[in-house]
Amino acid sequence: MVGIVIVSHSKQLAEGVRELAAQMVQGKVPLAVAAGIDDPENPLGTDAMQVYEAIASIYTDEGVIILMDLGSALMSAEMALEFLSQEHRDKVHLCEAPLVEGAIAAAVAAASGSNIQQVMAEARGALLAKATQLGVDMSHIQQETAHVSTSFVIEGQRTNDTGHVTKEIRLLVRNRLGLHARPAAKFVATAARFQSQIKVKNVTKNIEAVRADSINQVATLGVRQGHELVITATGSDADEALAALQALVESHFGEEETTLLPHYPTTSSLQHPISTSSHHFLQGIPASSGVAIAPVFLYCPTPIDIQQYHVDKIEEEWQGLQVAIQIAQEEIQALLSQASIQIGDAEAAIFDAHLLFLEDPVVLEAVHQRIFEQHLNAEAAWQAVVDELANHYRSIEDSYLQERVADVVDVGQRVLRLLTGFQSHIRISDHSPTHLHLCDPAILIATDLSPSDTARLDPTKVLGICTTSGSAICHSAIIARRLGIPVIVGLPTEILQVADNTLVALDGESGRVWIEPEPEIQTALEAKREAQQVAHQQALTTASSPAMTRDQKQISVFANIGGLSDTEEALILGAEGVGLFRTEFLYLERTTPPSEEEQLVVYQSIAQLLDHRPLIIRTLDVGGDKPIPYLNFPHETNPFLGWRGIRFCLDNPDIFKTQLRAILKASPGHQIKIMFPMIATVQEIQAAKAMLAEVQAELRQAGIPFDENMEVGIMVEIPSAVVLAEQLAAEVDFFSLGTNDLSQYIMAADRTHPRVATLVDAMHPAVLRMIQQTVQAAHKAGIWVGLCGELAADPLAATILLGLGLDEVSLNPQAIPEFKQAIAQLTMAEAEIIAASAMQQNSAAEVRELVRKL
Ligand code: PEP
Ligand code: MG
């Protein structure tokens, strides 16, 4: 039977609602309450962990619906979903229905054996009876209720004043967080591809139609799971536009919530409460769990001082702004590439929304108007529009949207800094030489931290974060969770008075911070940290087993890493080796290439940690979306089609041979393999092998040992390599398919360009067929073939990849346990049938639908 969780700020209110609902159904329906907080002086509030426990207490496979009162109740409920496994999360639904009426209607429906969709529909329609009695028009709700069990499309058409036909569709949004930043970015990017004027309206919230090509307007619609949209398109390509938007919404924006939080709170970790009654602590909102004890680093960015004045040369002012925006775009692009290596493409996509902000026609028109009509200087005009927008987000009664203020401010400040030539928005602490680059491990304390700042943090140095603002669902918190850094937000401002270097302890699970903690607090927290680690290890025991189908076919599961810190985590999460070490990381954030010795230390340390498991080191894949300033790349019109990867390395033998020497020197006693990126031709692999042979000869002559049998492979990520797979296979020991690049090159769509993002989907049958072609050629030649693109981290792809005959996959470490689970449920024959059928589909959306139906 479907269960119901009631979330309220007031325990009494929640208990009352439960009593009413239980009475209606004679206690037949599982009802749980998560309400109030454990503070006798101020008991009103909500707590994500309580919501999580309430869900866990009544969970069955038939599902759970959560009804909430307001404000932070929604946030706590959303956060609680983060703690659930993917499988459970899919069956737990947040419902926007009114609390009292919704709970009663839902309970009655659940008691009659209705499924989760019907229970949701009943809850949403709960105001109908009351409204009818009071004579209020509720037709829009009736309509949704009637159609709620299916994603539906009602097509309509009318002609507008200009003679253009306006087409209309209605769609139901089903993905978990609705049109939050990333789906909103995809929605806007898709809409902007078309000539037609496209508008979108949130029917459920009765919010007026807005321009679909404005990220800010779309975001402020507050579209959540279960909301109904009406999209209209007027113009010559209206049909195509609506079809594209429909496909996007129905594919749930390509969202698969795969992330297993690295340090998510577990019930077992809760069994180690810290006795704190006699010790003073500051209470904040827990945003990323984990324990940290370290000295304080106080981070105080200096605000940029803006002067407002009259300008006559308005054209120059506008041009200056355009230049600043362009540089900001380049900076965000670089940040996005770095973040996608470090935290994965999915989380890094947060910065896609930043890029779209800079293209938002509504923002740009507003700034233009201030400069050209009011003769305001660019800084003041820009700041005024950004402030207005941020205030608009703040005023919306939607906690998720309120959290987007941080993104608006982040992008706004970036442009302002460039416009004013403001150099460093810096700290007051003196133990760091540069912006947020800490020399020693510390706990960072700040009023707030922007997503850009957070993405650049080094988790080995920043052991914890405390802020006075923010929330558990702000982008900075999401990024910090991905980096495994404990975070507490919303702390009292008292925390900002703590002097630099003071010892502080924090517990990211309870949201508590101790300043100069007593020895017993430190001991208790250390014990808790240990207990969490043990619990985490236990939860991952199945992840350390091989990925084996029911009929005992095994596929190797390796990890993609960017450095030493990822390796340890990867092993805990069940990696059987490293299938892709992106060495670009060694070259970033410095002014000269890393020396042979520096590289040797890193390669050896990782190999040592892997303890004879395979380590595939990919040689420098610079260029494209990974520009490295000191390598003096010329400006390129199409960097992805330019001087990239092996092309750059073959032209820079000094840099290339230094890396090859370091890899070879690290190889004795380990299972190191070398992999060349961006191979498009047979000549390139031959040239790369020739340079490798030169280095090997030099080492032999110098009597320096290396693994003479080291395997050499290539990334298959350019369509020509697929076509030439047979010839290339004769040159190497293995292939690894790079589907991130392969899909962008197959589709001729830049993988970092938000406007064409929906085209770059490795689930597309065109990409799947290329994978199959490569696997067949490799096996025919007797070499093994793996895949290291993000596709492997998509749980829906596991079946297909197995069925396509891959010998190995290498993925983001967090996705490993789930991948292994998916493999264990299949037989090889089943996987092959599914893969064959996937290749017959017409689109990536159809492939996903096929797998979902299984
Ligand atoms: C790929 O292209 O699929 C890949 C794994 O490499 P990168 O994302 O680093 O280009
Ligand atoms: Mg690549």
Side-chain angles (χ1 to χ4, degrees):
M1 188 179 293
V2 173
I4 300 164
V5 171
I6 298 155
V7 182
S8 168
H9 285 67
S10 154
K11 198 162 187 73
Q12 280 153 310
L13 172 62
E15 291 294 359
V17 174
R18 169 156 66 179
E19 193 186 347
L20 260 177
Q23 217 174 50
M24 297 283 176
V25 293
Q26 288 91 43
K28 275 196 257 158
V29 176
L31 289 158
V33 157
I37 50 170
D38 200 10
D39 178 351
E41 278 170 31
N42 185 16
L44 292 186
T46 59
D47 172 9
M49 194 41 67
Q50 260 197 54
V51 182
Y52 166 74
E53 285 171 347
I55 299 168
S57 71
I58 57 165
Y59 180 86
T60 66
D61 278 349
E62 290 187 55
V64 172
I65 90 163
I66 305 182
L67 292 149
M68 303 136 285
D69 57 11
L70 21 110
S72 75
L74 272 77
M75 232 162 65
S76 299
E78 282 171 345
M79 200 181 159
L81 297 194
E82 298 278 351
F83 302 152
L84 298 172
S85 68
Q86 174 68 39
E87 190 196 341
H88 290 173
R89 205 186 296 169
D90 286 344
K91 294 188 174 127
V92 178
H93 297 261
L94 304 184
C95 182
E96 74 283 9
L99 187 67
V100 180
E101 292 86 348
I104 292 167
V108 171
S112 70
S114 298
N115 66 28
I116 188 102
Q117 296 299 345
Q118 291 161 332
V119 173
M120 291 275 283
E122 284 302 319
R124 287 191 184 123
L127 284 181
L128 213 57
K130 211 187 217 175
T132 312
Q133 199 174 339
L134 298 175
V136 179
D137 177 18
M138 296 285 286
S139 53
H140 60 288
I141 290 181
Q142 258 170 320
Q143 192 178 45
E144 183 197 340
T145 310
H147 292 276
V148 77
S149 61
T150 164
S151 169
F152 61 97
V153 182
I154 301 169
E155 298 207 28
Q157 142 171 355
R158 59 181 186 274
T159 308
N160 76 354
D161 307 343
T162 59
H164 276 305
V165 171
T166 296
K167 300 274 176 77
E168 176 181 303
I169 54 169
R170 285 170 181 257
L171 296 167
L172 195 67
V173 173
R174 291 178 162 280
N175 62 310
R176 193 167 62 79
L177 285 177
L179 274 184
H180 63 96
R182 281 165 284 171
K186 285 188 178 173
F187 188 90
V188 170
T190 306
R193 289 205 330 250
F194 298 93
Q195 301 289 325
S196 294
Q197 210 185 63
I198 305 172
K199 292 197 161 185
V200 53
K201 173 177 176 165
N202 183 343
V203 181
T204 309
K205 289 183 87 175
N206 203 12
I207 298 179
E208 270 318 298
V210 298
R211 284 174 64 158
D213 61 353
S214 162
I215 183 74
N216 293 299
Q217 295 209 349
V218 168
T220 52
L221 285 176
V223 178
R224 318 306 296 263
Q225 186 180 45
H227 283 189
E228 186 190 350
L229 303 180
V230 167
I231 308 172
T232 56
T234 312
S236 53
D237 54 4
D239 285 331
E240 292 86 342
L242 293 181
L245 289 167
Q246 183 179 344
L248 181 69
V249 174
E250 288 184 345
S251 71
H252 312 298
F253 303 90
E255 265 197 357
E256 296 302 334
E257 297 284 350
T258 59
T259 325
L260 178 71
L261 298 178
H263 301 289
Y264 56 91
T266 60
T267 348
S268 49
S269 60
L270 289 175
Q271 284 158 10
H272 299 271
I274 315 276
S275 158
T276 53
S277 49
S278 59
H279 301 279
H280 179 66
F281 58 82
L282 298 177
Q283 180 70 54
I285 302 166
S288 172
S289 61
V291 165
I293 305 172
V296 160
F297 176 95
L298 201 54
Y299 174 60
C300 297
T302 318
I304 305 172
D305 193 18
I306 294 298
Q307 307 292 328
Q308 179 177 321
Y309 50 90
H310 178 93
V311 285
D312 289 324
K313 296 180 176 166
I314 47 181
E315 195 54 59
E316 271 177 31
E317 208 63 18
W318 178 247
Q319 283 315 320
L321 177 67
Q322 295 310 302
V323 172
I325 288 177
Q326 196 193 328
I327 301 172
Q329 281 167 328
E330 285 163 14
E331 284 183 3
I332 296 171
Q333 194 61 66
L335 186 61
L336 199 139
S337 2
Q338 188 189 335
S340 64
I341 297 174
Q342 202 180 2
I343 61 174
D345 278 359
E347 304 300 358
I350 285 170
F351 295 109
D352 275 342
H354 286 207
L355 286 173
L356 278 175
F357 178 95
L358 293 175
E359 289 177 20
D360 190 326
V362 175
V363 170
L364 296 177
E365 278 162 25
V367 181
H368 187 274
Q369 190 251 340
R370 279 177 162 78
I371 295 177
F372 282 79
E373 290 174 25
Q374 298 173 21
H375 286 254
L376 266 190
N377 56 317
E379 298 92 315
W382 175 258
Q383 186 60 34
V385 171
V386 169
D387 284 348
E388 229 168 58
L389 196 63
N391 287 335
H392 179 51
Y393 274 101
R394 281 187 194 103
S395 70
I396 300 170
E397 291 241 333
D398 180 321
S399 57
Y400 192 85
L401 286 177
Q402 285 172 357
E403 288 317 318
R404 302 292 69 82
V405 172
D407 293 285
V408 172
V409 172
D410 192 358
V411 189
Q413 288 284 302
R414 185 182 290 282
V415 173
L416 217 49
R417 180 169 47 78
L418 292 163
L419 267 176
T420 54
F422 188 87
Q423 280 308 314
S424 94
H425 51 304
I426 279 296
R427 37 165 252 109
I428 58 166
S429 186
D430 54 12
H431 46 170
S432 158
T434 55
H435 169 69
L436 275 178
H437 282 200
L438 277 63
C439 300
D440 300 309
I443 289 175
L444 197 68
I445 294 182
T447 48
D448 202 0
L449 214 51
S450 70
S452 313
D453 282 340
T454 314
R456 303 178 88 93
L457 294 179
D458 173 358
T460 63
K461 291 289 173 358
V462 178
L463 304 188
I465 299 172
C466 297
T467 65
T468 50
S469 56
S471 88
I473 53 166
C474 65
H475 279 155
S476 299
I478 292 171
I479 295 170
R481 279 203 289 273
R482 181 65 191 80
L483 291 171
I485 304 176
V487 181
I488 301 177
V489 297
L491 279 156
T493 47
E494 202 181 326
I495 190 84
L496 299 171
Q497 311 305 323
V498 179
D500 252 343
N501 283 322
T502 310
L503 190 74
V504 156
L506 69 84
D507 177 6
E509 188 182 276
S510 64
R512 289 174 180 182
V513 181
W514 291 265
I515 295 152
E516 296 187 318
E518 309 280 325
E520 63 247 56
I521 289 287
Q522 290 189 44
T523 315
L525 283 172
E526 269 153 17
K528 180 169 182 171
R529 178 162 50 195
E530 235 163 76
Q532 276 176 345
Q533 277 163 359
V534 170
H536 193 56
Q537 300 274 9
Q538 274 167 356
L540 295 168
T541 42
T542 49
S544 55
S545 314
M548 191 82 84
T549 59
R550 294 204 326 266
D551 53 345
Q552 305 299 298
K553 159 88 183 161
Q554 192 180 339
I555 178 166
S556 302
V557 182
F558 292 177
N560 291 350
I561 61 161
L564 186 62
S565 57
D566 303 346
T567 316
E568 206 166 342
E569 187 191 8
L571 288 174
I572 293 171
L573 290 162
E576 296 151 15
V578 165
L580 169 63
F581 174 18
R582 288 183 165 107
T583 55
E584 297 76 71
F585 232 29
L586 296 171
Y587 295 73
L588 293 173
E589 307 238 347
R590 45 189 302 148
T591 49
T592 52
S595 68
E596 183 184 313
E597 290 68 33
E598 280 175 86
Q599 294 188 54
L600 179 61
V601 169
V602 176
Y603 302 151
Q604 272 176 335
S605 322
I606 295 176
Q608 217 115 39
L609 205 58
L610 286 172
D611 191 18
H612 301 291
R613 294 179 185 89
L615 166 58
I616 301 179
I617 302 180
R618 179 177 75 183
T619 57
L620 181 61
D621 184 12
V622 71
D625 62 334
K626 299 164 194 143
I628 294 179
Y630 62 83
L631 295 178
N632 296 325
F633 271 83
H635 174 74
E636 294 185 296
T637 320
N638 291 304
F640 273 118
L641 302 182
W643 206 34
R644 211 200 132 174
I646 200 71
R647 305 169 186 182
F648 171 87
C649 285
L650 291 174
D651 289 344
N652 285 278
D654 285 352
I655 294 175
F656 193 35
K657 283 170 86 175
T658 303
Q659 183 173 37
L660 296 178
R661 233 182 338 265
I663 297 173
L664 285 168
K665 281 186 173 178
S667 64
H670 302 295
Q671 259 217 75
I672 292 180
K673 304 174 203 296
I674 199 162
M675 178 158 76
F676 299 116
M678 290 291 291
I679 297 289
T681 67
V682 175
Q683 289 67 35
E684 280 169 347
I685 179 60
Q686 287 171 342
K689 277 169 53 185
M691 281 208 196
L692 180 67
E694 267 175 47
V695 179
Q696 287 172 325
E698 286 159 17
L699 291 180
R700 261 186 227 111
Q701 202 159 26
I704 299 172
F706 63 90
D707 177 3
E708 293 274 0
N709 299 316
M710 188 166 71
E711 286 186 25
V712 175
I714 57 164
M715 299 222 25
V716 175
E717 52 186 345
I718 297 180
S720 67
V722 177
V723 178
L724 293 171
E726 234 172 272
Q727 287 96 312
L728 292 169
E731 298 286 340
V732 294
D733 302 303
F734 67 92
F735 285 161
S736 186
L737 281 141
T739 45
N740 305 341
D741 277 314
L742 189 58
S743 20
Q744 76 161 340
Y745 294 131
I746 291 176
M747 296 297 181
D750 184 332
R751 66 193 253 191
T752 61
H753 195 319
R755 292 209 189 279
V756 295
T758 45
L759 278 171
V760 189
D761 189 337
M763 278 288 238
H764 197 282
V767 183
L768 300 181
R769 285 173 186 230
M770 288 250 183
I771 298 175
Q772 186 198 36
Q773 220 175 309
T774 311
V775 172
Q776 286 172 347
H779 287 171
K780 195 166 153 211
I783 64 168
W784 65 268
V785 53
L787 184 146
C788 60
E790 293 269 330
L791 175 65
D794 183 339
L796 291 180
T799 319
I800 298 173
L801 298 184
L802 178 74
L804 288 173
L806 285 156
D807 303 294
E808 175 250 28
V809 288
S810 187
L811 53 159
N812 167 346
Q814 268 75 34
I816 291 176
E818 209 160 354
F819 182 88
K820 289 192 171 183
Q821 269 170 5
I823 297 296
Q825 285 158 23
L826 297 160
T827 65
M828 194 59 201
E830 285 164 354
E832 279 168 359
I833 292 169
I834 296 159
S837 169
M839 283 183 292
Q840 299 308 316
Q841 306 301 312
N842 288 322
S843 66
E846 282 182 20
V847 173
R848 290 204 165 81
E849 203 48 43
L850 173 86
V851 184
R852 249 190 220 109
K853 277 196 214 132
L854 296 174

